[in-house]
Amino acid sequence: MITIRKSDQRGHFDHGWLDTYHTFSFADYHDPAFMSFRSLRVINEDRVQPAIGFGRHGHRDMEIVTLVMSGQLEHQDSMGNGSIIRRGDVQRMSAGTGVLHSEMNPSKDEPVHLFQIWILPERPGLTPEYEQKAFPDDQRRNMLKLVASNDGREGSVTIHQDASLFSSIIADGSVTHDFGDKRHGWLQVASGEVDVNGTTLVAGDGAAISNEREVTIRSADAEILLFDLA
């Protein structure tokens, strides 16, 4: 079964400096029908204007994965990490017992477009951790590239939950994923239009996938995120 979450049904707030869409309930957006899906708690699609961002704030007991679609995002945290996240980079921060961090657009003239994902950890009270790896476009073209997993396999970042995140750029082609027994999926379309097992999705759309052993995603030009969840 594939259940579509249309782009324009998401929570949307335009704060001027931040244009943000929430797939699931978050901050001032509350929809009891969309609190989470399995261990997937947040998918926020953000566009942040130049020279501004999210000031220092705290998180705990959450696996936070950030992917930049375009532009740059500057990260600083209380663990002593500082980095610039660019297109193709995947950042993982395990907030665990508590982390303070800030996320700013360091550019003076270019917005940054990003997805931030929160996944519930396998248990509370983990030691905070930070990790960042690059997955260039050519590693993701017409294939499902594993970028986050619970065991860091295939060079992915490590998240503390039984979940896998794949990224793909599909150009006049298709990708196929086999779900194991009692597994579920979430597909998020970052750009373009796709056909997934005969269902059409466009940029910003998401889809919950259950009781589907296999999905084939076809497109002429699209970028997607695919989650495999317990």
Side-chain angles (χ1 to χ4, degrees):
M1 181 172 64
I2 297 175
T3 305
I4 301 174
R5 172 69 155 153
K6 298 296 292 180
S7 176
D8 60 6
Q9 295 173 345
R10 298 178 293 176
H12 179 224
F13 298 89
D14 188 346
H15 302 289
W17 67 274
L18 167 67
D19 189 8
T20 181
Y21 286 87
H22 307 322
T23 294
F24 303 111
S25 296
F26 181 85
D28 293 333
Y29 171 63
H30 180 76
D31 183 341
F34 289 94
M35 296 299 297
S36 61
F37 180 74
R38 313 301 296 180
S39 61
L40 185 55
R41 176 62 188 85
V42 166
I43 302 177
N44 287 350
E45 183 176 8
D46 295 339
R47 291 174 173 84
V48 181
Q49 292 301 306
I52 199 166
F54 306 93
R56 196 170 175 86
H57 59 284
H59 297 287
R60 65 181 302 123
D61 290 329
M62 196 65 67
E63 301 293 294
I64 301 172
V65 179
T66 302
L67 304 93
V68 169
M69 300 294 108
S70 62
Q72 304 176 69
L73 190 69
E74 182 177 8
H75 168 92
Q76 301 283 339
D77 67 44
S78 56
M79 293 180 283
N81 299 298
S83 66
I84 301 293
I85 310 167
R86 299 178 174 87
R87 176 170 174 79
D89 290 343
V90 176
Q91 179 207 70
R92 183 267 301 187
M93 188 174 73
S94 296
T97 54
V99 170
L100 296 172
H101 78 144
S102 62
E103 299 159 300
M104 309 297 291
N105 182 352
S107 174
K108 295 181 179 179
D109 49 27
E110 182 184 11
V112 58
H113 176 202
L114 66 122
F115 282 88
Q116 187 164 97
I117 295 147
W118 294 10
I119 297 172
L120 297 169
E122 60 194 9
R123 64 184 186 277
L126 295 168
T127 300
E129 295 176 344
Y130 179 88
E131 188 179 14
Q132 182 175 327
K133 293 186 176 182
F135 301 91
D137 286 6
D138 60 3
Q139 292 184 10
R140 300 181 289 128
R141 189 165 288 112
N142 287 336
M143 66 173 292
L144 287 168
K145 177 64 176 178
L146 183 67
V147 298
S149 67
N150 66 335
D151 57 4
R153 66 189 183 278
E154 300 177 22
S156 59
V157 301
T158 303
I159 52 176
H160 299 288
Q161 180 53 268
D162 183 5
S164 297
L165 170 59
F166 300 86
S167 174
S168 183
I169 299 166
I170 308 172
D172 290 322
S174 66
V175 295
T176 297
H177 181 69
D178 294 311
F179 290 102
D181 291 339
K182 299 181 181 179
R183 303 294 294 186
H184 303 262
W186 185 276
L187 173 64
Q188 190 69 36
V189 183
S191 67
E193 178 179 313
V194 304
D195 175 286
V196 53
N197 288 11
T199 298
T200 299
L201 296 155
V202 299
D205 288 353
I209 302 166
S210 293
N211 300 317
E212 297 275 345
R213 183 68 191 206
E214 179 182 278
V215 292
T216 297
I217 306 159
R218 298 180 172 85
S219 181
D221 184 16
E223 186 165 358
I224 62 163
L225 302 173
L226 180 66
F227 299 83
D228 186 315
L229 306 162

